[in-house]
Amino acid sequence: MNLSKKQKIDLFNTMLTIRRFEERLFDEFYAGSITGFVHSYIGEEAIATGVIAHLKKEDRIVSHHRGHGHCIAKGADMKRMMAEIYGRKTGYCKGKGGSMHIADFSIGMLGADGIVGAGLPIATGASIAAQLEGKGNVAAVFFGDGACQEGEFHEALNLASLWKLPLLFVCENNGWGVNTSIGESFGAKEITRVPDAFHIAHKTVDGNDVERVYQAAEKAVARLRKGSGPFFLECKTYRWHKHFLSDALPDLRPKNELEAWKKKCPVKAYETKLLKQGILTPKKIAAMNAKIMDAVEEANQYALASPFPKPQDALQDIYSK
Amino acid sequence: MREITYDQAALEAIQEEFRRDPRTVHMATDLPPELRQEFGSDRIRVTPIAENNFVGASIGLAGSGFRTVANIRMATFGFVALDQMMNHAAKITYMFGGQAKFPILYRMTVGGGFQGAAEHSISPYSMYMNVPGLKILLPTTPYDVKGLLKTALRDNNPVVSFEHFLLGGTIGEVPEKEYFIPFGKADIKRKGTDVTVVALAKMVHEALAVAEELAGKGISLEVIDPRTLIPFDKQTVIRSVKKTGRLVVVDEACQTCGAAAEIIAFTTSDKSAFGKLKSAPVRVCGMDIPIPFSPPMEKFALPDKKKIIRAVMNVLGD
Ligand SMILES: Cc1ncc(C[n+]2csc(CCOP(=O)(O)OP(=O)(O)O)c2C)c(N)n1
Ligand SMILES: [Mg+2]
């Protein structure tokens, strides 16, 4: 389907929000205000944006270590996200999870998982739940090319295929797992050969083109809602920063590869397109940007103003009542 | 009172709770025919042989408002699912700040003594005790398994029930009337005055047989079955040791870093119990070896009545 003007602006707005949020984390991390493992989603924003645009609150997603974009696209509160990343009591997980483990069960964001591949079995469970509820809801799981090397990936595909689960597999293929290329680590070479072997319908798209992702996800989600079984969407993309923000971690990827992908910036490309179509003007973009910057600043201030948890708070929430 | 088998009692617990709560799912690699017949194939699912996947799927179901019973069958198969069990099921409530509940019952059999050899015989509950976030059951009788599983099926946390392979066919009294056994409440299976014997899993029955035998010789054993390892009813053990002054812990799991070591540690660290000890506590555990197949070697590796009697005589100073 053709996108309306409003849909296009929404997509652009979500991508820009993720970008600005991540840029702020980058600054704060290297200024020393944030610690731990922070994985930047910059360069991959079109995927979370284009896919999650089709999901309702009742649809559940499972994310991975590079998960801020999925949270924002699903409608998470940036203030509570930021507070979690800063380890504050007001964060989504009361400071017990940090950047890698943000979850908001109230909006169907079942959490980001830091063990590569581990979100996949969990997501099969979320889609079994959707199937049992029988309301046409779906689940989506986001994972990297690296996760496709884990047994959990293959087990989840088998189960989804066998039980016709309403599960959308979204592979964010950025070609690398830390500093190991997919060529060095994946025997099937093309990832979609694996879902294909399990008779799972699949499509590969340019993951930096938000409209391509959006359109592919639209068809996929419609299929899922009808109960036609799982779908596998491979989105080719590239991460701009090191595996996680760090002074010490080397980046061993070829420089020219990064430069080439930076020219295919998903946010910039879409901005240019919408300007050309006359849907956005430089003035409108400036206004959108200012509003997003304010929201990110507000989130940052909220986090900074929030108290740290008390040491003894570590003893809470081991079990639920 | 009517008598039924351990397996039948466990099944009843699941049937009763599945009748009450339609948002329940059973997953296992083998079909449980009674459950399938009553609750249908949507809720009673036979999974591929992918333990890690269905242990993980239970978490996703739980996070989506469903309660799952996942029967892993043998604890050695459970090792295949350790990522989802240890990294996720155990931690997810905590790591997400208690936002969601994860009501899951994981069941698996433990133990040796049936010539299953090393890959089908093991009692790894202490490993699970070492990863906080799980509740851990060790039901030893038909009565206990039903009451504990009933409680587990109302609990909003991941619960792991370790059920000794050789107990499934044992018979015992189980009331028709509904009942629940709370977690963290040990059962004194036999009262006594001379030696406190804390026994785990199938060793409860060996210890009771020893107690009967020694009663004839004028030696009185108090046999305690903790029933749940997490939470653990420390007070019942401490109280008993203060009375008897002697402690023997019997567990067929390997001795090193086992539950038996923990039981002795918390008892002897309790000043009032320590002060009452008349002799050093003794462990009777499985040897620190993989369980061998051939019967003479297997028997040698595991605790038995003779070894328990030796330990009791040891703490009595004979
Ligand atoms: C089971 C496991 N092994 C190794 C790691 C360390 N690790 C974290 S992310 C990562 C690479 C993941 O690559 P990919 O799935 O492609 O995601 P990307 O980081 O490229 O987004 C690795 C090896 C881990 N977290 N979990
Ligand atoms: Mg990757």
Side-chain angles (χ1 to χ4, degrees):
Chain A
M1 247 196 4
N2 284 334
L3 284 97
S4 72
K5 205 172 132 182
K6 177 171 182 310
Q7 282 168 326
K8 291 181 179 185
I9 293 173
D10 284 349
L11 289 179
F12 180 69
N13 191 60
T14 303
M15 281 204 293
L16 194 62
T17 306
I18 299 171
R19 174 67 56 97
R20 294 290 176 256
F21 184 87
E22 294 286 50
E23 285 171 345
R24 187 61 189 254
L25 291 187
F26 185 94
D27 294 344
E28 297 292 345
F29 183 89
Y30 286 106
S33 11
I34 296 172
T35 53
F37 298 125
V38 179
H39 298 78
S40 169
Y41 198 57
I42 290 184
E44 309 186 8
E45 297 92 340
I47 305 170
T49 303
V51 171
I52 296 173
H54 299 289
L55 302 183
K56 300 175 294 176
K57 194 172 131 193
E58 295 74 26
D59 298 319
R60 301 182 177 103
I61 67 166
V62 178
S63 166
H64 59 120
H65 55 282
R66 206 172 296 292
H68 305 148
H70 311 127
C71 294
I72 292 174
K74 195 79 172 66
D77 175 2
M78 285 199 291
K79 294 207 288 284
R80 292 183 66 198
M81 283 179 66
M82 196 65 100
E84 187 58 37
I85 293 166
Y86 274 86
R88 303 302 164 107
K89 202 180 160 77
T90 53
Y92 266 115
C93 312
K94 305 176 194 165
K96 290 188 167 107
S99 160
M100 247 187 306
H101 304 299
I102 299 175
D104 182 350
F105 284 76
S106 72
I107 58 167
M109 164 59 195
L110 266 49
D113 217 297
I115 301 295
V116 170
L120 286 139
I122 297 174
T124 61
S127 67
I128 297 169
Q131 190 177 59
L132 287 168
E133 284 164 347
K135 295 178 191 155
N137 295 335
V138 305
V141 57
F142 295 84
F143 53 93
D145 45 291
C148 304
Q149 300 156 32
E150 287 282 3
E152 292 181 312
F153 170 73
H154 300 260
E155 293 185 11
L157 287 173
N158 182 37
L159 195 78
S161 161
L162 194 65
W163 290 356
K164 289 202 162 25
L165 296 175
L167 178 55
L168 178 60
F169 292 88
V170 186
C171 178
E172 304 181 313
N173 182 358
N174 59 18
W176 293 82
V178 193
N179 282 320
T180 306
S181 73
I182 184 161
E184 293 168 287
S185 52
F186 199 70
K189 300 301 168 206
E190 288 156 31
I191 287 173
T192 51
R193 297 186 73 148
V194 184
D196 199 63
F198 284 102
H199 297 264
I200 293 176
H202 57 83
K203 189 172 173 66
T204 300
V205 295
D206 176 355
N208 281 26
D209 182 334
V210 71
E211 288 194 3
R212 286 268 160 82
V213 175
Y214 181 92
Q215 271 149 355
E218 180 171 38
K219 287 205 193 98
V221 171
R223 274 179 59 107
L224 295 178
R225 293 205 196 284
K226 277 199 303 228
S228 313
F231 194 90
F232 193 101
L233 183 60
E234 182 193 20
C235 304
K236 296 231 164 130
T237 187
Y238 205 78
R239 100 178 116 73
W240 283 17
H241 291 309
K242 292 178 183 182
H243 174 64
F244 51 68
L245 305 183
S246 157
D247 285 320
L249 184 78
D251 189 348
L252 303 181
R253 300 173 305 168
K255 289 268 169 305
N256 56 352
E257 203 176 89
L258 174 61
E259 291 317 314
W261 276 94
K262 276 191 166 176
K263 294 203 182 90
K264 280 172 42 94
C265 169
V267 185
K268 191 77 203 156
Y270 203 45
E271 181 183 294
T272 309
K273 185 171 177 177
L274 297 189
L275 280 170
K276 219 186 264 169
Q277 292 179 352
I279 289 171
L280 286 177
T281 60
K283 211 172 129 197
K284 269 193 204 153
I285 293 172
M288 280 171 83
N289 189 53
K291 211 167 149 205
I292 291 168
M293 293 292 274
D294 282 351
V296 172
E297 178 58 27
E298 192 192 352
N300 204 58
Q301 289 305 324
Y302 175 82
L304 284 172
S306 292
F308 276 105
K310 289 199 287 292
Q312 303 85 329
D313 290 346
L315 300 176
Q316 286 168 9
D317 301 317
I318 300 164
Y319 297 108
S320 48
K321 296 248 158 43
Chain B
M1 202 186 291
R2 68 169 180 154
E3 293 196 333
I4 57 174
T5 65
Y6 185 100
D7 282 344
Q8 184 62 30
L11 177 65
E12 278 189 12
I14 296 171
Q15 285 170 321
E16 288 175 17
E17 292 304 307
F18 272 47
R19 276 172 209 145
R20 189 184 61 85
D21 180 3
R23 288 177 78 88
T24 42
V25 179
H26 190 280
M27 292 199 284
T29 57
D30 302 276
L31 179 76
E34 300 88 341
L35 294 177
R36 172 61 77 80
Q37 207 181 351
E38 182 171 355
F39 303 107
S41 54
D42 277 355
R43 287 171 64 196
I44 309 302
R45 296 193 176 219
V46 176
T47 70
I49 308 164
E51 289 76 9
N52 201 38
N53 190 281
F54 71 83
V55 167
S58 321
I59 300 170
L61 274 155
S64 309
F66 283 81
R67 177 183 296 277
T68 304
V69 177
N71 192 332
I72 295 165
R73 290 197 52 222
M74 296 190 122
T76 51
F77 314 157
F79 289 147
V80 174
L82 283 183
D83 171 41
Q84 289 298 325
M85 181 69 78
M86 301 303 203
N87 280 324
H88 310 284
K91 296 171 181 168
I92 201 159
T93 303
Y94 186 82
M95 209 171 68
F96 295 148
Q99 281 184 59
K101 296 179 166 67
F102 294 92
I104 310 167
L105 170 58
Y106 295 115
R107 297 178 67 200
M108 59 186 115
T109 61
V110 292
F114 43 90
Q115 289 88 59
E119 288 180 359
H120 291 75
S121 313
I122 202 163
S123 300
Y125 23 80
S126 69
M127 283 175 58
Y128 289 71
M129 292 169 76
N130 240 293
V131 182
L134 302 168
K135 295 188 180 179
I136 301 178
L137 317 182
L138 214 48
T140 62
T141 65
Y143 178 84
D144 286 352
V145 77
K146 182 165 182 190
L148 290 168
L149 294 193
K150 288 275 291 181
T151 303
L153 289 164
R154 303 271 176 115
D155 197 285
N156 284 320
N157 293 282
V159 176
V160 187
S161 177
F162 290 105
E163 302 164 16
H164 197 289
F165 186 80
L166 294 175
L167 292 178
T170 57
I171 289 171
E173 290 189 341
V174 176
E176 314 252 7
K177 200 166 168 288
E178 183 173 58
Y179 65 96
F180 296 84
I181 296 175
F183 295 168
K185 198 166 179 315
D187 185 31
I188 302 177
K189 288 243 174 349
R190 182 180 175 120
K191 282 209 174 295
T193 49
D194 297 328
V195 179
T196 299
V197 179
V198 180
L200 306 185
K202 180 169 159 283
M203 287 303 134
V204 167
H205 301 281
E206 310 299 323
L208 286 170
V210 166
E212 188 60 32
E213 201 176 314
L214 293 185
K217 297 186 179 147
I219 300 170
S220 164
L221 302 189
E222 178 143 299
V223 179
I224 299 177
D225 175 356
R227 295 200 292 205
T228 64
L229 294 175
I230 306 275
F232 198 103
D233 180 2
K234 297 179 182 174
Q235 281 318 311
T236 295
V237 175
I238 287 169
R239 218 177 296 124
S240 173
V241 170
K242 285 204 286 200
K243 178 177 75 179
T244 61
R246 299 182 186 92
L247 174 62
V248 171
V249 185
V250 193
D251 181 14
E252 75 167 78
C254 296
Q255 174 157 301
T256 301
C257 298
E262 183 58 31
I263 292 166
I264 291 179
F266 74 67
T267 309
T268 51
S269 317
D270 181 277
K271 279 196 184 126
S272 60
F274 184 74
K276 292 272 168 59
L277 280 175
K278 296 172 188 156
S279 63
V282 171
R283 277 177 290 181
V284 186
C285 291
M287 288 185 175
D288 288 329
I289 55 174
I291 306 294
F293 160 70
S294 177
M297 290 195 291
E298 187 187 38
K299 195 169 163 11
F300 174 75
L302 299 175
D304 58 16
K305 280 190 279 186
K306 249 178 60 206
K307 292 176 195 172
I308 300 171
I309 292 173
R310 213 181 300 139
V312 168
M313 292 310 168
N314 178 343
V315 297
L316 283 167
D318 291 333

